[in-house]
Amino acid sequence: MSFYETALNRYSCRDFDPERKVETEKLGDILAAARLAPSACNGQSYHITVCRNEAAKRVAAATQEKGMNKFTSDAPLMAVISEEPPCKGAMLGIKHKGLDYRQTDIGILAAYITCAANEAGVESCILGWFNEEEVKSICEVSGAIRLIIALGYPKKDGSAPKKQRKEISELVTFID
């Protein structure tokens, strides 16, 4: 599958099959791809905590405050992405430019995870709504949690829903 096909076919799944577990080999492939994601100064100032079984259910519950993300109860895997201290090179950016690249790096990491998952036939949904303190307690992490990615197989096999996107002309300006 080409990258364009992956981008075209990847979608935010909100209907996971709770009975179908993601194979260890596929999860390993997804995490191997994630490991290759670029980051500021190659510092990889983040950590991925993969929650399965009961831990996944507890993290899913922590994403459901105020009626949000009810579908996560059926996701067999929850990848919790937390910040780690920046490397020395990235500290220069923070000190001299006022730029902390960790959130950008985590966004890139999330793109690698979701695209690698899609290529493996596993769907995903990136979550930004969660009870951070509860998730920190479940995962025993101290760094700020920036994203959670629900992973699993969809209940229904089929193609991705039609994407609603802006036209290129609305997103891109060319300057000569």
Side-chain angles (χ1 to χ4, degrees):
M1 184 181 309
S2 72
F3 178 77
Y4 182 80
E5 290 170 322
T6 299
L8 191 61
N9 291 317
R10 195 244 149 231
Y11 68 99
S12 294
C13 182
R14 291 179 174 86
D15 195 19
F16 291 102
D17 182 347
E19 302 302 317
R20 194 165 172 207
K21 304 291 183 200
V22 176
E23 299 86 347
T24 302
E25 182 179 321
K26 283 190 179 184
L27 178 58
D29 290 345
I30 293 164
L31 295 173
R35 186 179 149 265
L36 299 175
S39 62
C41 304
N42 292 318
Q44 296 178 299
S45 299
Y46 44 71
H47 185 80
I48 306 164
T49 303
V50 178
C51 298
R52 301 180 283 200
N53 304 313
E54 189 57 36
K57 293 199 178 307
R58 291 175 59 211
V59 169
T63 70
Q64 296 175 2
E65 289 182 331
K66 299 189 187 284
M68 299 294 288
N69 303 318
K70 292 295 184 189
F71 65 91
T72 60
S73 293
D74 290 338
L77 295 173
M78 301 295 275
V80 176
I81 304 173
S82 55
E83 286 184 353
E84 291 285 313
C87 67
K88 289 179 184 178
M91 284 297 291
L92 287 173
I94 294 170
K95 183 177 178 182
H96 295 288
K97 295 291 184 179
L99 298 172
D100 187 341
Y101 300 102
R102 291 177 293 178
Q103 289 186 37
T104 300
D105 292 346
I106 286 171
I108 296 166
L109 174 69
Y112 269 58
I113 290 170
T114 58
C115 286
N118 181 264
E119 187 176 25
V122 175
E123 296 304 339
S124 60
C125 188
I126 301 170
L127 307 166
W129 183 283
F130 49 86
N131 180 318
E132 183 177 15
E133 292 308 313
E134 190 172 336
V135 177
K136 280 182 171 183
S137 175
I138 295 164
C139 297
E140 298 178 7
V141 297
S142 58
I145 296 172
R146 296 300 180 197
L147 296 174
I148 298 173
I149 304 174
L151 294 157
Y153 290 103
K155 279 186 185 171
K156 301 174 192 165
D157 288 331
S159 60
K162 185 173 177 5
K163 293 182 185 258
Q164 300 289 324
R165 298 293 190 267
K166 293 179 180 180
E167 295 296 323
I168 293 288
S169 62
E170 295 177 81
L171 293 173
V172 179
T173 300
F174 292 94
I175 301 175
D176 292 322

